[in-house]
Amino acid sequence: MGVFAVKRGKVWLAVAGLVIDESGKWLVVKKKYSGLKGMWSLPAGFVNAGETVDEAVIREVREETGLQTSVKGIIGVRSGVIQNDISDNMVIFLLENKKTSSILIEEKELWDVGWKSPQELLEDDKTSVMVHEMIKAMTFQHKLNPIEGINPGNQFGYTQYKLFL
C-alpha cells in the first residue's frame, strides 16, 4: 500500500465496470496484484486527474480488456476505510460492450480475462466478495443514468460536469 498511499493521498476514488454479454455472462478479470490477486473481479482502477468517473471506467475497461464500452448507468458505490486512515471509494458502473473489439488481456496487470455466468462466479472460490454480493443483489433496474450538458454556474469553474440520477 505504500506507493499508492503516497501517490493517491488519503482519499482514493476508483471505478469498476460491469459488462454483461447477450447470454448474461459477466466480464471478469484476474489481477496479478493487490488484495484481489488471483481472484475474479470486475475491471477497475483509479480515476486520474482531469477525467470524470465515467471516462475513467471506460478507459480502465479498455486498458485491461481491450473492449470499447459505453456507460448505461451507475449501479453501486463501494466505500471503505483502510486501517482507520485511507478513505477508499469506488463507483460501480453498468457498461455496454460496443461489439467492435475483441478481448486483449493487459498482461502486466492481469492473469486472465473471461466471460463467466453469475452461477459460475458464485461457485468459484476465486471470485471476489464484491462480485458475489453484486450477483446476490442482481436487480439493476434502479441504476442511475447520466445527465450531461448541465452548467451548475460559472462560479464553480467546472470544465466538465455530469449528474447521475
Side-chain angles (χ1 to χ4, degrees):
M1 202 177 348
V3 174
F4 274 135
V6 172
K7 183 179 174 192
R8 299 272 169 212
K10 302 244 181 183
V11 179
W12 295 354
L13 181 57
V15 291
L18 172 59
V19 183
I20 303 174
D21 74 8
E22 57 283 341
S23 67
K25 292 186 176 183
W26 291 23
L27 178 69
V28 287
V29 300
K30 239 182 213 184
K31 296 216 187 294
K32 289 184 173 181
Y33 63 94
S34 83
L36 292 173
K37 183 177 181 176
M39 303 288 285
W40 290 114
S41 61
L42 299 179
F46 288 107
V47 178
N48 291 332
E51 74 182 345
T52 60
V53 290
D54 56 310
E55 289 169 339
V57 75
I58 288 169
R59 174 185 51 76
E60 282 291 345
V61 171
R62 185 182 64 247
E63 285 175 3
E64 290 187 8
T65 70
L67 295 184
Q68 300 289 333
T69 59
S70 60
V71 169
K72 292 178 77 174
I74 292 173
I75 55 173
V77 174
R78 188 216 64 213
S79 185
V81 177
I82 299 171
Q83 298 175 354
N84 294 312
D85 190 36
I86 295 170
S87 175
D88 182 17
N89 305 283
M90 176 180 278
V91 180
I92 306 164
F93 287 86
L94 182 61
L95 302 175
E96 186 168 28
N97 184 10
K98 291 186 177 176
K99 310 260 188 291
T100 55
S101 51
S102 55
I103 289 179
L104 298 168
I105 299 173
E106 209 300 27
E107 293 182 7
K108 287 191 299 260
E109 289 187 23
L110 304 176
W111 292 113
D112 200 3
V113 174
W115 294 97
K116 304 271 184 192
S117 73
Q119 194 58 44
E120 287 175 285
L121 290 167
L122 284 174
E123 292 169 1
D124 190 331
D125 65 354
K126 293 291 184 193
T127 299
S128 76
V129 169
M130 187 176 90
V131 169
H132 271 272
E133 292 301 320
M134 287 177 68
I135 292 167
K136 287 190 246 172
M138 214 165 62
T139 56
F140 303 127
Q141 293 90 326
H142 302 293
K143 71 182 185 296
L144 302 175
N145 299 303
I147 302 169
E148 299 186 49
I150 300 164
N151 182 350
N154 295 332
Q155 72 273 24
F156 296 110
Y158 282 107
T159 52
Q160 292 194 61
Y161 186 87
K162 298 175 185 177
L163 286 175
F164 290 83
L165 300 172

